[in-house]
Each structure stands twice: as C-alpha cells, then as structure tokens.
C-alpha cells in the first residue's frame, strides 16, 4: 500500500507591477514583485484518484494575485503576503495552509537636476526584499522577512587564522584579506494570530528591514572581522536587540574569494603580501557560512 506523505502545489514566478499615483502631487510610486503561492489541504485524491474536484487551478491563483494587488496595498510585502494567504484558506474550506513567497525588486527614484523625479526610476542592483509567509487554518501566521542578493566587498580589515591545521591543510593564515559576500539575511517574527494582528504591525515591517540592512552594512564595514562566522553572529545579535518582535535571525554568506597573483616570474614584479594590488576574482569553489541566532528563551536544548 502507498499513500501521499506530502502534497503542496501552486503558482510560481507570477510577476506583478503596481503603480500608485498621487493625484495631488503628481508623484508616482512603483512596486515590482515576483510571487509564489503554494497550497496544502485535502488534496490527496487529485494525486491518487485523478480527482480534480479539489484542485484550485494555478491559473486561478495567478488571477487572484492580480486582483488582490488591485484591491489592496502591496506594501509592506509582509502585509500583502498575509492578505493572499488568508484569502486562500478562508475561500477554500479544504485548503488548510497557504505558503506565500514575495520577492520585491528594487526600483530607486531618479534624481534629476538635484530633485527626486516624480515618475522615473532605475534598477539599483540585484538586491531584493523577500518575505515568506505561512498561513495555517486556526494556527496563525508565520512570517520571515529578509534581504537577498546584497553584494558587498571590503578591501581590507578581514582576517582568518588559528584554524585547524592538519595533513589536509594548504590554506595559509592571513591577518589582512579582501572580504566579499552576497548577503542572504532573514528574520523570523513572533507568531501573528491573524491578519488583523499583521495589520497592527504594519509600521514595524519597513523599520525592521531598514534596521537589518543598516546593521548588516555598518557592521560589515566597521569591524575588523576575525571570521565571517563571528561577524554574522554580531550582526544577528544587533538585529535581535533592535527589533524586539523578532525571534530569530539567520544569515547565509558565501565567501567570494579574491586571490593574490604571484607575478615574481615577470622581472621580479612584486604583487603578494603587502605589495598585492592585482587579484584574480574567483567564481568557485567558495566557502559558505550559515547560522541562525535565536533569543535565549527560544534556544534549543543541546
């Protein structure tokens, strides 16, 4: 005998653009998102019996995203994700959980002649603001907010030494190196009881995103980093201190390497150690460092 142990389906890569036009000032504000919806519930028979009577068509999910974007604000994304998830579990009684992912892409207002332009923008890098929300029937809303694709580099003030050395080790210790990474950072909020609870927290979402981003960039720049591990822990601690409603912070930081090039073979040209100026950026392999930092009362017992 066999049975379905896991089932979830939905619509991915739904691209949405919304413009808000202020009729009094003439200023327009734009938001561009990529949305994913995945539903869970009493849908096993669609797999085991080819019974589509329980299937909400994924095309209908796409249409729902567009309609709800017209009917509701799409910012902050935590709110729009909660609106979408709540709609699906309230509209379809056999659906008991909705997983919503929203990736918000950057459009930064242009400055022209020293003034912010009312309706022109530029894509300010690949960084995105991400939200993952899970709405479960009778169990509230889980929300993880995040930053992804934020590429940073510092040309000095990074170290890595005193690590394990054995017969497999060739990496030299260093007290000064280039440090570069692509930040993937998330913070998980305390459980929300429902959509009204999320609405009450609206001012906190943008503030938390700004705090997390500023803490990440400031700590990265100012600290003489002894290791990526220690630096990401300090970032996480600071975010927890800045946003009391957040229960955990997670980072995933790939180490983007820049290697010195020994040019001594060419007329004794010095380009290593204190003389290094020209480096070879590496695409891989690379280190990948991850951690989740929780408040003390939420820490698992080891």
């Amino acid at each position: 005998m066999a049975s379905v142990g896991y089932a979830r389906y939905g619509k991915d890569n739904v691209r949405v653009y919304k413009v808000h036009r202020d009729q009094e000032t003439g200023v327009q504000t734009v938001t561009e998102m990529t949305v994913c919806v995945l539903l869970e519930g009493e849908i096993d028979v669609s797999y085991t019996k080819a019974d589509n009577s329980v299937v909400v068509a994924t095309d209908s999910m796409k249409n729902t995203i567009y309609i709800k974007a017209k009917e509701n604000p799409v910012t902050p994304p935590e709110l729009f994700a909660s609106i979408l998830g709540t709609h699906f579990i309230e509209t379809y009684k056999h659906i008991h959980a909705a997983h919503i992912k929203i990736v918000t892409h950057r459009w930064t207002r242009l400055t022209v002649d020293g003034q912010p332009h009312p309706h022109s923008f530029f894509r300010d890098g690949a960084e995105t603001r991400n939200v993952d929300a899970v709405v479960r029937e009778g169990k509230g809303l889980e929300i993880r907010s995040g930053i992804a694709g934020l590429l940073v580099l510092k040309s000095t003030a990074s170290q890595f030494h005193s690590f394990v050395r054995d017969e497999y080790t060739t990496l030299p210790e260093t007290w000064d190196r280039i440090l570069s990474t692509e930040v993937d950072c998330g913070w998980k909020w305390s459980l929300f009881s429902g959509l009204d609870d999320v609405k009450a927290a609206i001012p906190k979402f943008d503030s938390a995103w700004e705090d997390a981003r500023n803490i990440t960039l400031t700590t990265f720049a100012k600290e003489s980093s002894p290791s990526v591990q220690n630096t990401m822990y300090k970032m996480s601690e600071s975010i927890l201190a800045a946003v009391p409603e957040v229960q955990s912070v997670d980072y995933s930081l790939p180490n983007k390497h820049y290697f010195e090039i020994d040019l001594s073979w060419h007329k004794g040209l010095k380009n290593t150690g204190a003389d290094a100026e020209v480096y070879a950026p590496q695409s891989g392999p690379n280190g990948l460092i991850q951690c989740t930092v929780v408040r003390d009362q939420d820490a698992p017992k080891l």
Side-chain angles (χ1 to χ4, degrees):
M1 291 292 291
S3 60
V4 176
Y6 166 92
R8 187 184 295 176
Y9 81 105
K11 199 71 163 181
D12 197 6
N13 294 312
V14 181
R15 299 187 64 182
V16 184
Y17 167 92
K18 185 173 183 178
V19 57
H20 171 74
R21 302 178 179 89
D22 189 315
Q23 300 301 325
E24 293 185 4
T25 65
V27 173
Q28 300 189 7
T29 303
V30 301
T31 303
E32 184 174 342
M33 308 172 291
T34 302
V35 182
C36 175
V37 174
L38 294 172
L39 303 181
E40 295 181 31
E42 298 166 39
I43 57 176
D44 292 14
V45 293
S46 65
Y47 294 84
T48 60
K49 304 295 184 183
D51 181 353
N52 291 334
S53 66
V54 296
V55 175
V56 180
T58 65
D59 190 66
S60 301
M61 298 180 198
K62 176 202 69 178
N63 294 337
T64 300
I65 294 169
Y66 293 145
I67 291 167
K68 293 302 173 183
K70 175 65 177 178
E71 294 176 340
N72 299 276
V74 296
T75 58
E78 290 86 352
L79 172 63
F80 188 54
S82 301
I83 289 170
L84 284 175
T86 300
H87 165 83
F88 285 112
I89 66 167
E90 289 184 349
T91 302
Y92 306 103
K93 298 307 178 185
H94 66 292
I95 298 299
H96 305 307
H99 300 254
I100 311 295
K101 182 178 181 65
I102 296 179
V103 176
T104 303
H105 307 281
R106 290 177 70 85
W107 283 118
T108 300
R109 192 176 299 278
L110 279 172
T111 298
V112 179
D113 297 329
Q115 298 296 323
H117 197 273
H119 59 253
S120 296
F121 309 83
F122 69 100
R123 176 58 51 84
D124 187 13
E127 177 193 351
T128 59
R129 176 176 173 177
N130 297 356
V131 170
D132 292 276
V134 182
V135 185
R136 299 187 189 276
E137 184 181 5
K139 297 182 179 179
L141 289 89
E142 301 173 12
I143 298 178
R144 176 191 179 272
S145 305
I147 299 166
L150 175 58
L151 186 60
V152 294
L153 178 146
K154 60 195 298 182
S155 55
T156 188
S158 174
Q159 314 161 41
F160 189 57
H161 54 79
S162 305
F163 49 85
V164 173
R165 303 202 69 86
D166 58 21
E167 66 269 30
Y168 302 102
T169 306
T170 58
L171 182 70
E173 296 184 331
T174 180
W175 281 259
D176 188 20
R177 64 173 181 172
I178 295 169
L179 178 59
S180 179
T181 188
E182 186 173 297
V183 176
D184 186 336
C185 167
W187 49 99
K188 188 173 182 180
W189 298 84
S190 298
L191 185 69
F192 293 94
S193 61
L195 183 55
D196 288 342
D197 201 14
V198 174
K199 290 180 178 178
I202 285 175
K204 299 176 181 178
F205 295 124
D206 285 349
S207 177
W209 176 81
E210 291 170 1
D211 284 341
R213 193 174 189 273
N214 288 337
I215 286 167
T216 298
L217 294 175
T218 300
T219 305
F220 179 83
K222 287 186 173 182
E223 185 186 41
S224 181
S225 174
S227 67
V228 176
Q229 288 88 336
N230 186 245
T231 298
M232 71 198 321
Y233 180 79
K234 290 177 180 177
M235 292 173 177
S236 301
E237 273 192 316
S238 296
I239 294 172
L240 287 174
V243 191
E245 298 83 5
V246 163
Q247 293 305 304
S248 66
V249 178
D250 60 89
Y251 275 91
S252 180
L253 301 179
N255 204 338
K256 296 184 173 293
H257 300 294
Y258 290 73
F259 290 164
E260 295 179 0
I261 305 171
D262 186 353
L263 298 176
S264 60
W265 55 270
H266 181 74
K267 302 178 182 179
L269 192 60
K270 295 180 179 180
N271 191 60
T272 59
D275 297 310
E277 294 180 315
V278 178
Y279 297 79
Q282 305 296 301
S283 58
N286 62 272
L288 178 60
I289 299 90
Q290 299 177 330
C291 78
T292 299
V293 180
V294 301
R295 296 192 184 277
D296 288 340
Q297 66 267 28
D298 299 316
K301 303 300 181 183
L302 299 179

